[in-house]
Amino acid sequence: MSSHDRNIQVEPEASYCPYPLYTELRERGVTFVEEAGAFMVTRAEDVDTVLRDVETFSSRDTIGLPPAEPGGEPTGPGFYLVDTDAPEHSRRRRLAARAFTSGRVARFEPEIRAMGAELIEGLRGRDEVDFVADFAVKLPIAAIATVLGVEEADTAAMRRLSEKVLSVLGDAPDPVGFARACEEFGALLAPALEAAAGVEQETTILHTIAASEIGAEDAMRFVIELLFAGNVTTADAISSSTRFLAEDVRLADRLRREPSRLAPFVEESLRLESPVQGLFRTATRDTELGGSPIPAGARLLVGFGAGNRDPKLVERPDELDLDRVSPHSHFAFGRGAHTCLGHALARLEVRVALEVLLGTVRRFELTVPPERLDYQRILSVRHLQSLPLRLYWS
C-alpha cells in the first residue's frame, strides 16, 4: 500500500488544535495529506532525518509557495537563508551569522526589558486586554527594529507587512502577493540600509550586515527575512507562553518565586506550542522515509510541532515539565544546517517579556474558555490571533 493510498482527512479543527491529528499521523507514518499538498512528517526520528539530510531534501520551496515547474525559476523572490540549499546556504549563513553572536544579542537585553516594562505600564489601570494586540505583537517588532537599527516610526508598517506575508502563505499561498509584500518591505528598508552602509562602527545588526560581504540585494532579502520571522514567530511564542500561565496560576506563582525556572519554562512552551509547526522540503531523488517511498519532486511538510510531541523524543510529551533533562532537544528552531539563526534573540525576548509580566501583574487569567481562542487556519504555524486576559494589578 502506498502512502497516497493512506490519505487522511484533515478536519477544520486541526488548524486550531492539531495535536490529535499529529498523534494519528505518527501512528500511520509518513503519509500524504491532500490538504497540505505534501507528505506529512510527524515522527521525531523522521523529522530529524529530513532536517539533517539536506542533499536528499531541498529547502528551495520551504515556505509553502506553489512549487516551481521542473527547470523553472523558483516562485517569488525568496528569502535569503531559509529557502536556499548548500553550498549557497552555507556561504550565506557564514556571512550572516556574525550579526547574531551571543554577545551581540545579549547587549540589547536592557533596551528590550525597558520596552517590555513600558508596554506593561501602558496597560496599567485596564482590567481586560487583548494581550496579543496590546503586548505580544508590539514587543518583538520594537525589539527587532532596535536590534537592526530601524526607525521606530516604521515599526507599524513592518508589522503590517509581516502579517501580509503570513497571510499570503496561508491556505491558498499567493506568490504574487508574497512578491509584492517583499517589494513593500524593500522600499521601507532601503533608506535604513543605505544609511547603515555609510557608518563605520557596527553598532547594530543592520550595520553589521551592511558592513559584511553580503551584496545590497541579498542584504535587503536577509533583513526582510529577519523582520518577518523575528517578529511574527516571537510574538506567537510570547502569546503561547502567556496562555500557559494564564491557565495555571500555581505555575505563574512558582515562576515568580523561582525566576531561574523561567528559562526551562520557555523551552517547554516552545516545544509544546512551536510557533513554526512545520516547513516544507522537496525530495531531490527517489527515496524512503520511515518505511514510506518518497518519489523525486515530492513535497514534504516537516512537522516540528508533531515531532516535539513524539513520545520517542520526550517522556510525557503533552505535559509541561520544568525538569526535562535536555530541555533544548526540541525542533522549535529547526535542526541541522537550517537551525534558526535568531534563536538566541527569540529566547531572550520571550524570557524578558515573561519576567516583566510576572513582575508587574499580580495575576492574570483568560476571559474566555480555551477552546474559544482564535488560531489562524494554517497547519504550518501556531498563530494565536487574540488572547483576551483579565489583569489583577498589585
Side-chain angles (χ1 to χ4, degrees):
M1 180 183 292
S2 73
S3 293
H4 283 275
D5 295 327
R6 295 184 286 131
N7 288 355
I8 187 169
Q9 182 70 31
V10 178
E11 301 298 332
E13 294 78 11
S15 298
Y16 293 89
C17 184
Y19 306 117
L21 170 65
Y22 293 163
T23 298
E24 184 176 354
L25 285 168
R26 280 195 301 270
E27 293 171 355
R28 290 171 176 250
V30 180
T31 304
F32 190 84
V33 176
E34 292 288 352
E35 287 82 350
F39 289 86
M40 286 194 69
V41 185
T42 52
R43 295 174 179 169
E45 180 181 6
D46 296 333
V47 171
D48 184 76
T49 295
V50 174
L51 294 180
R52 294 188 185 279
D53 187 354
V54 296
E55 293 185 0
T56 304
F57 302 103
S58 168
S59 296
R60 65 176 179 264
D61 289 311
T62 192
I63 58 176
L65 291 172
E69 294 296 324
E73 291 297 317
T75 52
F79 284 141
Y80 180 70
L81 285 175
V82 71
D83 56 2
T84 55
D85 293 325
E88 184 67 8
H89 174 267
S90 304
R91 182 189 69 81
R92 289 178 174 181
R93 190 176 177 94
R94 282 195 300 271
L95 292 173
R98 61 192 296 260
F100 279 92
T101 63
S102 58
R104 287 182 184 276
V105 168
R107 71 187 186 189
F108 290 104
E109 179 169 345
E111 292 175 83
I112 294 172
R113 187 176 299 279
M115 293 174 200
E118 182 178 357
L119 285 171
I120 290 292
E121 285 300 323
L123 303 179
R124 189 177 288 278
R126 294 173 57 183
D127 296 331
E128 294 187 7
V129 300
D130 175 2
F131 195 74
V132 171
D134 293 329
F135 183 91
V137 301
K138 291 183 177 181
L139 179 62
I141 192 65
I144 195 70
T146 296
V147 167
L148 284 169
V150 178
E151 290 294 328
E152 184 178 354
D154 292 332
T155 56
M158 290 188 292
R159 179 68 200 183
R160 175 183 61 80
L161 289 170
S162 295
E163 291 285 358
K164 186 174 180 179
V165 171
L166 182 63
S167 69
V168 301
L169 297 178
D171 292 335
D174 177 12
V176 175
F178 176 74
R180 287 175 178 168
C182 289
E183 287 174 3
E184 288 187 62
F185 252 133
L188 179 67
L189 294 169
L193 266 172
E194 185 177 351
V199 177
E200 293 185 6
Q201 187 178 3
E202 297 179 17
T203 55
T204 68
I205 287 176
L206 196 67
H207 294 135
T208 304
I209 294 168
S212 70
E213 299 174 29
I214 300 175
E217 182 178 346
D218 281 345
M220 181 72 71
R221 293 168 61 201
F222 181 44
V223 174
I224 291 171
E225 186 174 342
L226 286 176
L227 283 167
F228 170 64
N231 78 79
V232 172
T233 58
T234 305
D236 291 340
I238 292 172
S239 300
S240 294
S241 298
T242 303
R243 176 193 166 178
F244 278 126
L245 298 179
E247 294 182 78
D248 191 338
V249 173
R250 294 177 62 184
L251 176 60
D253 286 341
R254 180 184 176 186
L255 294 177
R256 288 188 182 94
R257 295 192 308 269
E258 305 174 48
S260 64
R261 309 301 286 163
L262 262 172
F265 168 73
V266 170
E267 297 305 320
E268 277 289 87
S269 177
L270 288 166
R271 181 184 66 80
L272 287 165
E273 293 280 271
S274 301
V276 178
Q277 288 285 295
L279 289 173
F280 289 90
R281 294 292 188 268
T282 303
T284 60
R285 59 180 178 82
D286 291 344
T287 187
E288 184 178 286
L289 183 67
S292 296
I294 307 295
R299 304 177 82 205
L300 303 94
L301 179 54
V302 188
F304 301 168
N308 281 339
R309 289 182 180 238
D310 189 337
K312 293 187 177 180
L313 181 74
V314 295
E315 295 181 356
R316 296 168 284 101
D318 295 323
E319 295 181 19
L320 194 155
D321 183 355
L322 299 183
D323 297 309
R324 298 279 181 201
V325 175
S326 301
H328 292 76
S329 64
H330 54 73
F331 297 103
F333 294 107
R335 187 168 289 182
H338 279 271
T339 299
C340 175
L341 198 60
H343 68 87
L345 179 60
R347 286 179 163 112
L348 169 65
E349 289 181 48
V350 178
R351 174 178 57 79
V352 168
L354 296 176
E355 286 175 351
V356 170
L357 174 63
L358 290 168
T360 308
V361 182
R362 175 170 56 85
R363 186 162 66 89
F364 47 93
E365 62 189 17
L366 295 177
T367 63
V368 299
E371 60 270 18
R372 288 182 54 194
L373 291 174
D374 189 13
Y375 286 89
Q376 189 162 351
R377 292 178 179 269
I378 305 178
L379 278 174
S380 57
V381 300
R382 190 70 170 148
H383 184 59
L384 186 60
Q385 300 192 100
S386 64
L387 184 64
L389 295 183
R390 180 172 291 109
L391 307 180
Y392 300 87
W393 297 91
S394 302

